[in-house]
Amino acid sequence: MDWDDVRYFLALARTHRLGPAAKMLAQDATTVSRRLQRLERRLQTTLFEQTVAGYALTERGAALLAHAETMEASALGIQEVVGNDAGVLAGPIRLSVSEGFGSRILAPRLASFTNQHPRIAVDLIASTGFLNPSRREADIAVMLARPKSGPLVARKLTDYHLGLYAHPDHFARTGPIATTTDLMRHRLIGYVPDMIYAPELRYLAEIDGRLDASIRSSSIVAQAELIAAGAGCGILPCFIGDRMPGLVRVLPEAVDIARSFWLVVHRDVRRIARIDRFIAWLDATIGELKPLMLGAAPQPTGPSIAAPQ
């Protein structure tokens, strides 16, 4: 069986649509369709059926998937052993992370890794939702919860804290906040409820089930900018809120939300040298940022955050 044809099969099995599969392979959709048809002719079987949700594996396709992933692991191993010059690490790494972690933690620091390893190409997928390492959509994912199943190696990367933040301009219009009950009369910034992709993001309900955001965005970066503009108060990771000029942390003792990031890797790529090197760099980077991830220890601020005089 031609390994090149198998790559096309794997791409469609993981993305379920010709467009994303073509993008993953740096090809056009027509080429992907043609190569899959050729593979089906050679195997004399149908590997996919078209559904409303996209291309779904047939029973024969599902049986082929396990063997195809074994071929992929072997191909990656060969590339790692003989494909690099004089031990220089090279090749792609696709990293899936949350938008806030990707944009505010990794993006400003990633040059330190790529400068050391210029032949490693890093795809930083920082968005709402995560690519699935089980389906090999990503080599590494930093997720909000530990996956419950799949051929994965997972461990906690770091704990982090979130707090309630606002700009002084907001207090000038609305008055002070003395308790969490006072939040009922303040404009809140938060996620669009039906676009929350993980239960760990339902922060307001954790403070008080009656709270509801009136300005909402699927983007945590957009929420941070809204809060910084004085549009309202809202929950931010401390690694975002503490670094934004002008923002004030409100009720730091009453609103101190703890969460964790989980490092997730497909077991077939865990021992590939470039993956291993990136994980070591990530561990070292996060280790240096522990105070930022956990937020400053809450300090007594009196009964309220008063409006500026």
Side-chain angles (χ1 to χ4, degrees), residues 203-253:
Y203 310 125
L204 292 177
E206 191 166 320
I207 299 170
D208 188 321
R210 298 171 297 172
L211 297 178
D212 190 22
S214 58
I215 302 180
R216 305 181 294 200
S217 173
S218 61
S219 163
I220 191 65
V221 172
Q223 291 177 41
E225 294 300 329
L226 284 163
I227 296 168
C233 52
I235 303 295
L236 294 173
C238 294
F239 61 77
I240 295 179
D242 287 352
R243 287 294 183 93
M244 294 197 71
L247 286 192
V248 176
R249 188 167 176 186
V250 185
L251 303 178
E253 293 180 312

mmCIF file of all heavy atoms in Angstrom, residues 203-253:
data_model
loop_
_atom_site.group_PDB
_atom_site.id
_atom_site.type_symbol
_atom_site.label_atom_id
_atom_site.label_comp_id
_atom_site.label_asym_id
_atom_site.label_seq_id
_atom_site.Cartn_x
_atom_site.Cartn_y
_atom_site.Cartn_z
ATOM 1 N N TYR A 203 -17.676 30.470 34.642
ATOM 2 C CA TYR A 203 -17.173 31.105 35.857
ATOM 3 C C TYR A 203 -18.261 31.813 36.648
ATOM 4 O O TYR A 203 -18.306 31.720 37.879
ATOM 5 C CB TYR A 203 -16.088 32.128 35.513
ATOM 6 C CG TYR A 203 -15.004 31.627 34.606
ATOM 7 C CD1 TYR A 203 -14.699 32.291 33.426
ATOM 8 C CD2 TYR A 203 -14.266 30.494 34.930
ATOM 9 C CE1 TYR A 203 -13.691 31.853 32.589
ATOM 10 C CE2 TYR A 203 -13.252 30.047 34.106
ATOM 11 C CZ TYR A 203 -12.973 30.727 32.932
ATOM 12 O OH TYR A 203 -11.982 30.286 32.119
ATOM 13 N N LEU A 204 -19.132 32.564 35.986
ATOM 14 C CA LEU A 204 -20.104 33.387 36.704
ATOM 15 C C LEU A 204 -21.032 32.536 37.553
ATOM 16 O O LEU A 204 -21.365 32.891 38.688
ATOM 17 C CB LEU A 204 -20.908 34.240 35.713
ATOM 18 C CG LEU A 204 -20.125 35.346 35.001
ATOM 19 C CD1 LEU A 204 -21.009 36.065 33.998
ATOM 20 C CD2 LEU A 204 -19.546 36.331 36.004
ATOM 21 N N ALA A 205 -21.435 31.383 37.024
ATOM 22 C CA ALA A 205 -22.315 30.491 37.779
ATOM 23 C C ALA A 205 -21.621 29.977 39.028
ATOM 24 O O ALA A 205 -22.287 29.669 40.032
ATOM 25 C CB ALA A 205 -22.763 29.324 36.899
ATOM 26 N N GLU A 206 -20.308 29.885 38.982
ATOM 27 C CA GLU A 206 -19.555 29.413 40.139
ATOM 28 C C GLU A 206 -19.558 30.463 41.263
ATOM 29 O O GLU A 206 -19.503 30.118 42.443
ATOM 30 C CB GLU A 206 -18.122 29.087 39.718
ATOM 31 C CG GLU A 206 -17.312 28.346 40.756
ATOM 32 C CD GLU A 206 -16.040 27.746 40.178
ATOM 33 O OE1 GLU A 206 -16.089 27.230 39.039
ATOM 34 O OE2 GLU A 206 -15.008 27.796 40.857
ATOM 35 N N ILE A 207 -19.636 31.732 40.885
ATOM 36 C CA ILE A 207 -19.704 32.804 41.881
ATOM 37 C C ILE A 207 -21.105 32.924 42.455
ATOM 38 O O ILE A 207 -21.317 32.955 43.666
ATOM 39 C CB ILE A 207 -19.276 34.144 41.245
ATOM 40 C CG1 ILE A 207 -17.845 34.058 40.736
ATOM 41 C CG2 ILE A 207 -19.418 35.287 42.254
ATOM 42 C CD1 ILE A 207 -17.435 35.246 39.899
ATOM 43 N N ASP A 208 -22.096 32.985 41.560
ATOM 44 C CA ASP A 208 -23.497 33.134 41.971
ATOM 45 C C ASP A 208 -24.362 32.723 40.790
ATOM 46 O O ASP A 208 -24.222 33.287 39.692
ATOM 47 C CB ASP A 208 -23.785 34.589 42.369
ATOM 48 C CG ASP A 208 -25.160 34.776 42.996
ATOM 49 O OD1 ASP A 208 -26.125 34.130 42.538
ATOM 50 O OD2 ASP A 208 -25.274 35.577 43.946
ATOM 51 N N GLY A 209 -25.227 31.758 40.995
ATOM 52 C CA GLY A 209 -26.053 31.241 39.911
ATOM 53 C C GLY A 209 -26.972 32.268 39.290
ATOM 54 O O GLY A 209 -27.502 32.055 38.194
ATOM 55 N N ARG A 210 -27.169 33.398 39.940
ATOM 56 C CA ARG A 210 -28.060 34.434 39.404
ATOM 57 C C ARG A 210 -27.354 35.371 38.433
ATOM 58 O O ARG A 210 -28.006 36.166 37.755
ATOM 59 C CB ARG A 210 -28.648 35.252 40.561
ATOM 60 C CG ARG A 210 -29.497 34.454 41.539
ATOM 61 C CD ARG A 210 -29.835 35.293 42.755
ATOM 62 N NE ARG A 210 -28.634 35.672 43.511
ATOM 63 C CZ ARG A 210 -28.636 36.532 44.531
ATOM 64 N NH1 ARG A 210 -29.772 37.108 44.907
ATOM 65 N NH2 ARG A 210 -27.497 36.813 45.153
ATOM 66 N N LEU A 211 -26.037 35.316 38.385
ATOM 67 C CA LEU A 211 -25.288 36.252 37.556
ATOM 68 C C LEU A 211 -25.365 35.875 36.081
ATOM 69 O O LEU A 211 -25.311 34.698 35.726
ATOM 70 C CB LEU A 211 -23.827 36.293 37.997
ATOM 71 C CG LEU A 211 -23.562 36.805 39.416
ATOM 72 C CD1 LEU A 211 -22.071 36.737 39.729
ATOM 73 C CD2 LEU A 211 -24.090 38.218 39.597
ATOM 74 N N ASP A 212 -25.456 36.900 35.252
ATOM 75 C CA ASP A 212 -25.520 36.674 33.819
ATOM 76 C C ASP A 212 -24.813 37.822 33.110
ATOM 77 O O ASP A 212 -24.990 38.994 33.481
ATOM 78 C CB ASP A 212 -26.976 36.599 33.354
ATOM 79 C CG ASP A 212 -27.099 36.125 31.921
ATOM 80 O OD1 ASP A 212 -26.158 35.476 31.428
ATOM 81 O OD2 ASP A 212 -28.131 36.422 31.279
ATOM 82 N N ALA A 213 -24.013 37.511 32.123
ATOM 83 C CA ALA A 213 -23.291 38.547 31.380
ATOM 84 C C ALA A 213 -24.235 39.233 30.401
ATOM 85 O O ALA A 213 -25.067 38.588 29.761
ATOM 86 C CB ALA A 213 -22.118 37.930 30.628
ATOM 87 N N SER A 214 -24.089 40.542 30.276
ATOM 88 C CA SER A 214 -24.916 41.296 29.323
ATOM 89 C C SER A 214 -24.119 41.714 28.089
ATOM 90 O O SER A 214 -24.696 42.099 27.083
ATOM 91 C CB SER A 214 -25.523 42.529 29.994
ATOM 92 O OG SER A 214 -24.512 43.368 30.518
ATOM 93 N N ILE A 215 -22.783 41.670 28.171
ATOM 94 C CA ILE A 215 -21.935 41.812 26.988
ATOM 95 C C ILE A 215 -21.129 40.530 26.886
ATOM 96 O O ILE A 215 -20.382 40.185 27.805
ATOM 97 C CB ILE A 215 -21.000 43.029 27.090
ATOM 98 C CG1 ILE A 215 -21.797 44.309 27.289
ATOM 99 C CG2 ILE A 215 -20.147 43.137 25.829
ATOM 100 C CD1 ILE A 215 -20.929 45.551 27.395
ATOM 101 N N ARG A 216 -21.269 39.836 25.772
ATOM 102 C CA ARG A 216 -20.730 38.474 25.697
ATOM 103 C C ARG A 216 -19.884 38.289 24.442
ATOM 104 O O ARG A 216 -20.179 38.858 23.391
ATOM 105 C CB ARG A 216 -21.888 37.473 25.728
ATOM 106 C CG ARG A 216 -22.776 37.698 26.943
ATOM 107 C CD ARG A 216 -23.929 36.733 27.056
ATOM 108 N NE ARG A 216 -24.917 36.849 25.997
ATOM 109 C CZ ARG A 216 -26.166 36.380 26.100
ATOM 110 N NH1 ARG A 216 -26.556 35.770 27.207
ATOM 111 N NH2 ARG A 216 -27.004 36.505 25.106
ATOM 112 N N SER A 217 -18.857 37.465 24.573
ATOM 113 C CA SER A 217 -17.992 37.172 23.440
ATOM 114 C C SER A 217 -17.457 35.752 23.585
ATOM 115 O O SER A 217 -17.216 35.282 24.701
ATOM 116 C CB SER A 217 -16.825 38.162 23.371
ATOM 117 O OG SER A 217 -15.900 37.777 22.358
ATOM 118 N N SER A 218 -17.254 35.098 22.463
ATOM 119 C CA SER A 218 -16.638 33.770 22.478
ATOM 120 C C SER A 218 -15.136 33.859 22.702
ATOM 121 O O SER A 218 -14.479 32.840 22.930
ATOM 122 C CB SER A 218 -16.917 33.047 21.159
ATOM 123 O OG SER A 218 -16.364 33.786 20.070
ATOM 124 N N SER A 219 -14.570 35.068 22.647
ATOM 125 C CA SER A 219 -13.124 35.277 22.746
ATOM 126 C C SER A 219 -12.757 35.856 24.106
ATOM 127 O O SER A 219 -13.255 36.915 24.494
ATOM 128 C CB SER A 219 -12.663 36.238 21.643
ATOM 129 O OG SER A 219 -11.381 36.759 21.918
ATOM 130 N N ILE A 220 -11.854 35.194 24.831
ATOM 131 C CA ILE A 220 -11.390 35.721 26.110
ATOM 132 C C ILE A 220 -10.541 36.975 25.904
ATOM 133 O O ILE A 220 -10.536 37.884 26.756
ATOM 134 C CB ILE A 220 -10.592 34.658 26.904
ATOM 135 C CG1 ILE A 220 -10.340 35.117 28.355
ATOM 136 C CG2 ILE A 220 -9.294 34.321 26.205
ATOM 137 C CD1 ILE A 220 -11.566 35.274 29.183
ATOM 138 N N VAL A 221 -9.849 37.077 24.783
ATOM 139 C CA VAL A 221 -9.068 38.276 24.492
ATOM 140 C C VAL A 221 -10.003 39.459 24.262
ATOM 141 O O VAL A 221 -9.751 40.572 24.749
ATOM 142 C CB VAL A 221 -8.147 38.043 23.282
ATOM 143 C CG1 VAL A 221 -7.467 39.335 22.854
ATOM 144 C CG2 VAL A 221 -7.097 36.982 23.609
ATOM 145 N N ALA A 222 -11.097 39.231 23.538
ATOM 146 C CA ALA A 222 -12.083 40.292 23.338
ATOM 147 C C ALA A 222 -12.718 40.699 24.664
ATOM 148 O O ALA A 222 -12.942 41.888 24.921
ATOM 149 C CB ALA A 222 -13.155 39.845 22.352
ATOM 150 N N GLN A 223 -13.005 39.724 25.531
ATOM 151 C CA GLN A 223 -13.556 40.050 26.842
ATOM 152 C C GLN A 223 -12.595 40.931 27.626
ATOM 153 O O GLN A 223 -13.001 41.904 28.277
ATOM 154 C CB GLN A 223 -13.849 38.771 27.623
ATOM 155 C CG GLN A 223 -14.996 37.936 27.077
ATOM 156 C CD GLN A 223 -15.181 36.651 27.839
ATOM 157 O OE1 GLN A 223 -15.083 36.619 29.062
ATOM 158 N NE2 GLN A 223 -15.443 35.565 27.118
ATOM 159 N N ALA A 224 -11.315 40.613 27.585
ATOM 160 C CA ALA A 224 -10.313 41.401 28.300
ATOM 161 C C ALA A 224 -10.281 42.836 27.781
ATOM 162 O O ALA A 224 -10.173 43.794 28.571
ATOM 163 C CB ALA A 224 -8.938 40.753 28.166
ATOM 164 N N GLU A 225 -10.382 43.005 26.473
ATOM 165 C CA GLU A 225 -10.374 44.354 25.905
ATOM 166 C C GLU A 225 -11.636 45.117 26.291
ATOM 167 O O GLU A 225 -11.583 46.330 26.531
ATOM 168 C CB GLU A 225 -10.230 44.271 24.382
ATOM 169 C CG GLU A 225 -8.900 43.722 23.900
ATOM 170 C CD GLU A 225 -7.717 44.571 24.355
ATOM 171 O OE1 GLU A 225 -7.869 45.807 24.503
ATOM 172 O OE2 GLU A 225 -6.626 43.997 24.576
ATOM 173 N N LEU A 226 -12.767 44.444 26.357
ATOM 174 C CA LEU A 226 -14.008 45.088 26.797
ATOM 175 C C LEU A 226 -13.887 45.568 28.244
ATOM 176 O O LEU A 226 -14.297 46.683 28.584
ATOM 177 C CB LEU A 226 -15.174 44.104 26.673
ATOM 178 C CG LEU A 226 -15.712 43.857 25.263
ATOM 179 C CD1 LEU A 226 -16.548 42.581 25.222
ATOM 180 C CD2 LEU A 226 -16.545 45.054 24.808
ATOM 181 N N ILE A 227 -13.325 44.718 29.084
ATOM 182 C CA ILE A 227 -13.146 45.095 30.493
ATOM 183 C C ILE A 227 -12.177 46.274 30.604
ATOM 184 O O ILE A 227 -12.420 47.226 31.351
ATOM 185 C CB ILE A 227 -12.656 43.889 31.309
ATOM 186 C CG1 ILE A 227 -13.727 42.785 31.307
ATOM 187 C CG2 ILE A 227 -12.334 44.292 32.745
ATOM 188 C CD1 ILE A 227 -13.242 41.440 31.826
ATOM 189 N N ALA A 228 -11.094 46.236 29.840
ATOM 190 C CA ALA A 228 -10.105 47.317 29.873
ATOM 191 C C ALA A 228 -10.680 48.632 29.367
ATOM 192 O O ALA A 228 -10.214 49.717 29.760
ATOM 193 C CB ALA A 228 -8.879 46.927 29.050
ATOM 194 N N ALA A 229 -11.703 48.557 28.514
ATOM 195 C CA ALA A 229 -12.340 49.765 27.982
ATOM 196 C C ALA A 229 -13.407 50.325 28.925
ATOM 197 O O ALA A 229 -14.036 51.336 28.612
ATOM 198 C CB ALA A 229 -12.958 49.468 26.620
ATOM 199 N N GLY A 230 -13.614 49.661 30.074
ATOM 200 C CA GLY A 230 -14.600 50.142 31.036
ATOM 201 C C GLY A 230 -16.016 49.730 30.745
ATOM 202 O O GLY A 230 -16.967 50.279 31.325
ATOM 203 N N ALA A 231 -16.201 48.746 29.857
ATOM 204 C CA ALA A 231 -17.548 48.330 29.490
ATOM 205 C C ALA A 231 -18.252 47.566 30.597
ATOM 206 O O ALA A 231 -19.484 47.477 30.621
ATOM 207 C CB ALA A 231 -17.510 47.475 28.216
ATOM 208 N N GLY A 232 -17.501 46.997 31.519
ATOM 209 C CA GLY A 232 -18.090 46.216 32.604
ATOM 210 C C GLY A 232 -16.989 45.474 33.335
ATOM 211 O O GLY A 232 -15.797 45.681 33.078
ATOM 212 N N CYS A 233 -17.381 44.612 34.255
ATOM 213 C CA CYS A 233 -16.395 43.791 34.959
ATOM 214 C C CYS A 233 -16.596 42.334 34.565
ATOM 215 O O CYS A 233 -17.682 41.932 34.142
ATOM 216 C CB CYS A 233 -16.486 43.978 36.468
ATOM 217 S SG CYS A 233 -18.122 43.763 37.183
ATOM 218 N N GLY A 234 -15.546 41.538 34.698
ATOM 219 C CA GLY A 234 -15.643 40.148 34.283
ATOM 220 C C GLY A 234 -14.484 39.320 34.799
ATOM 221 O O GLY A 234 -13.516 39.835 35.362
ATOM 222 N N ILE A 235 -14.598 38.016 34.581
ATOM 223 C CA ILE A 235 -13.596 37.055 35.035
ATOM 224 C C ILE A 235 -12.514 36.897 33.963
ATOM 225 O O ILE A 235 -12.818 36.683 32.789
ATOM 226 C CB ILE A 235 -14.239 35.686 35.317
ATOM 227 C CG1 ILE A 235 -15.359 35.810 36.351
ATOM 228 C CG2 ILE A 235 -13.187 34.681 35.766
ATOM 229 C CD1 ILE A 235 -14.892 36.238 37.713
ATOM 230 N N LEU A 236 -11.261 37.006 34.402
ATOM 231 C CA LEU A 236 -10.127 36.793 33.509
ATOM 232 C C LEU A 236 -9.100 35.906 34.198
ATOM 233 O O LEU A 236 -8.950 35.966 35.428
ATOM 234 C CB LEU A 236 -9.441 38.123 33.153
ATOM 235 C CG LEU A 236 -10.217 39.133 32.327
ATOM 236 C CD1 LEU A 236 -9.424 40.431 32.229
ATOM 237 C CD2 LEU A 236 -10.527 38.583 30.945
ATOM 238 N N PRO A 237 -8.355 35.095 33.432
ATOM 239 C CA PRO A 237 -7.186 34.454 34.026
ATOM 240 C C PRO A 237 -6.240 35.524 34.558
ATOM 241 O O PRO A 237 -6.066 36.573 33.935
ATOM 242 C CB PRO A 237 -6.562 33.701 32.838
ATOM 243 C CG PRO A 237 -7.668 33.543 31.838
ATOM 244 C CD PRO A 237 -8.518 34.755 31.996
ATOM 245 N N CYS A 238 -5.630 35.251 35.697
ATOM 246 C CA CYS A 238 -4.706 36.241 36.270
ATOM 247 C C CYS A 238 -3.546 36.528 35.333
ATOM 248 O O CYS A 238 -3.013 37.644 35.333
ATOM 249 C CB CYS A 238 -4.201 35.750 37.627
ATOM 250 S SG CYS A 238 -5.497 35.659 38.888
ATOM 251 N N PHE A 239 -3.159 35.548 34.492
ATOM 252 C CA PHE A 239 -2.042 35.805 33.582
ATOM 253 C C PHE A 239 -2.433 36.788 32.481
ATOM 254 O O PHE A 239 -1.573 37.309 31.776
ATOM 255 C CB PHE A 239 -1.462 34.505 32.999
ATOM 256 C CG PHE A 239 -2.413 33.666 32.178
ATOM 257 C CD1 PHE A 239 -2.747 34.006 30.884
ATOM 258 C CD2 PHE A 239 -2.947 32.497 32.710
ATOM 259 C CE1 PHE A 239 -3.596 33.209 30.117
ATOM 260 C CE2 PHE A 239 -3.802 31.690 31.963
ATOM 261 C CZ PHE A 239 -4.132 32.049 30.666
ATOM 262 N N ILE A 240 -3.720 37.071 32.340
ATOM 263 C CA ILE A 240 -4.175 38.136 31.444
ATOM 264 C C ILE A 240 -4.484 39.397 32.247
ATOM 265 O O ILE A 240 -3.951 40.472 31.977
ATOM 266 C CB ILE A 240 -5.417 37.698 30.640
ATOM 267 C CG1 ILE A 240 -5.075 36.548 29.682
ATOM 268 C CG2 ILE A 240 -5.981 38.882 29.846
ATOM 269 C CD1 ILE A 240 -6.248 36.046 28.871
ATOM 270 N N GLY A 241 -5.355 39.278 33.252
ATOM 271 C CA GLY A 241 -5.814 40.450 33.982
ATOM 272 C C GLY A 241 -4.718 41.197 34.705
ATOM 273 O O GLY A 241 -4.692 42.438 34.708
ATOM 274 N N ASP A 242 -3.775 40.467 35.313
ATOM 275 C CA ASP A 242 -2.712 41.125 36.075
ATOM 276 C C ASP A 242 -1.728 41.870 35.188
ATOM 277 O O ASP A 242 -0.977 42.718 35.671
ATOM 278 C CB ASP A 242 -1.943 40.096 36.922
ATOM 279 C CG ASP A 242 -2.745 39.615 38.118
ATOM 280 O OD1 ASP A 242 -3.821 40.181 38.388
ATOM 281 O OD2 ASP A 242 -2.291 38.664 38.790
ATOM 282 N N ARG A 243 -1.704 41.545 33.892
ATOM 283 C CA ARG A 243 -0.755 42.170 32.982
ATOM 284 C C ARG A 243 -1.380 43.294 32.145
ATOM 285 O O ARG A 243 -0.688 43.891 31.324
ATOM 286 C CB ARG A 243 -0.170 41.106 32.044
ATOM 287 C CG ARG A 243 0.827 40.164 32.719
ATOM 288 C CD ARG A 243 2.066 40.920 33.146
ATOM 289 N NE ARG A 243 3.089 40.079 33.739
ATOM 290 C CZ ARG A 243 4.095 39.530 33.055
ATOM 291 N NH1 ARG A 243 4.183 39.702 31.757
ATOM 292 N NH2 ARG A 243 4.991 38.795 33.680
ATOM 293 N N MET A 244 -2.666 43.566 32.327
ATOM 294 C CA MET A 244 -3.305 44.598 31.515
ATOM 295 C C MET A 244 -3.289 45.921 32.269
ATOM 296 O O MET A 244 -3.871 46.033 33.353
ATOM 297 C CB MET A 244 -4.739 44.192 31.156
ATOM 298 C CG MET A 244 -4.793 42.985 30.248
ATOM 299 S SD MET A 244 -6.382 42.771 29.436
ATOM 300 C CE MET A 244 -6.391 44.130 28.269
ATOM 301 N N PRO A 245 -2.633 46.937 31.719
ATOM 302 C CA PRO A 245 -2.523 48.232 32.410
ATOM 303 C C PRO A 245 -3.894 48.812 32.745
ATOM 304 O O PRO A 245 -4.816 48.802 31.923
ATOM 305 C CB PRO A 245 -1.791 49.113 31.382
ATOM 306 C CG PRO A 245 -1.067 48.154 30.499
ATOM 307 C CD PRO A 245 -1.938 46.942 30.422
ATOM 308 N N GLY A 246 -4.037 49.296 33.974
ATOM 309 C CA GLY A 246 -5.254 49.975 34.383
ATOM 310 C C GLY A 246 -6.297 49.093 35.005
ATOM 311 O O GLY A 246 -7.215 49.587 35.674
ATOM 312 N N LEU A 247 -6.210 47.779 34.814
ATOM 313 C CA LEU A 247 -7.233 46.913 35.388
ATOM 314 C C LEU A 247 -7.014 46.731 36.887
ATOM 315 O O LEU A 247 -5.883 46.667 37.365
ATOM 316 C CB LEU A 247 -7.239 45.549 34.700
ATOM 317 C CG LEU A 247 -7.822 45.484 33.289
ATOM 318 C CD1 LEU A 247 -8.027 44.032 32.869
ATOM 319 C CD2 LEU A 247 -9.125 46.245 33.175
ATOM 320 N N VAL A 248 -8.117 46.640 37.608
ATOM 321 C CA VAL A 248 -8.107 46.434 39.053
ATOM 322 C C VAL A 248 -8.740 45.084 39.343
ATOM 323 O O VAL A 248 -9.783 44.740 38.775
ATOM 324 C CB VAL A 248 -8.909 47.544 39.768
ATOM 325 C CG1 VAL A 248 -8.985 47.280 41.267
ATOM 326 C CG2 VAL A 248 -8.292 48.908 39.501
ATOM 327 N N ARG A 249 -8.095 44.314 40.202
ATOM 328 C CA ARG A 249 -8.709 43.057 40.620
ATOM 329 C C ARG A 249 -9.697 43.335 41.754
ATOM 330 O O ARG A 249 -9.366 43.981 42.749
ATOM 331 C CB ARG A 249 -7.645 42.050 41.073
ATOM 332 C CG ARG A 249 -8.250 40.662 41.318
ATOM 333 C CD ARG A 249 -7.202 39.604 41.465
ATOM 334 N NE ARG A 249 -7.826 38.321 41.790
ATOM 335 C CZ ARG A 249 -7.172 37.212 42.086
ATOM 336 N NH1 ARG A 249 -5.843 37.215 42.096
ATOM 337 N NH2 ARG A 249 -7.815 36.095 42.370
ATOM 338 N N VAL A 250 -10.917 42.861 41.582
ATOM 339 C CA VAL A 250 -12.017 43.163 42.493
ATOM 340 C C VAL A 250 -12.304 41.955 43.385
ATOM 341 O O VAL A 250 -12.310 40.818 42.909
ATOM 342 C CB VAL A 250 -13.280 43.539 41.688
ATOM 343 C CG1 VAL A 250 -14.402 43.975 42.614
ATOM 344 C CG2 VAL A 250 -12.968 44.624 40.668
ATOM 345 N N LEU A 251 -12.550 42.195 44.664
ATOM 346 C CA LEU A 251 -12.886 41.128 45.615
ATOM 347 C C LEU A 251 -11.935 39.930 45.475
ATOM 348 O O LEU A 251 -12.365 38.796 45.264
ATOM 349 C CB LEU A 251 -14.338 40.662 45.416
ATOM 350 C CG LEU A 251 -15.432 41.726 45.523
ATOM 351 C CD1 LEU A 251 -16.800 41.092 45.246
ATOM 352 C CD2 LEU A 251 -15.416 42.388 46.880
ATOM 353 N N PRO A 252 -10.626 40.160 45.598
ATOM 354 C CA PRO A 252 -9.668 39.078 45.342
ATOM 355 C C PRO A 252 -9.803 37.895 46.295
ATOM 356 O O PRO A 252 -9.448 36.777 45.912
ATOM 357 C CB PRO A 252 -8.310 39.755 45.490
ATOM 358 C CG PRO A 252 -8.569 40.951 46.340
ATOM 359 C CD PRO A 252 -9.945 41.418 45.976
ATOM 360 N N GLU A 253 -10.302 38.118 47.495
ATOM 361 C CA GLU A 253 -10.462 36.995 48.427
ATOM 362 C C GLU A 253 -11.740 36.216 48.138
ATOM 363 O O GLU A 253 -11.776 34.994 48.244
ATOM 364 C CB GLU A 253 -10.454 37.517 49.861
ATOM 365 C CG GLU A 253 -9.099 38.094 50.280
ATOM 366 C CD GLU A 253 -9.113 38.617 51.706
ATOM 367 O OE1 GLU A 253 -10.043 39.363 52.059
ATOM 368 O OE2 GLU A 253 -8.202 38.249 52.459
#
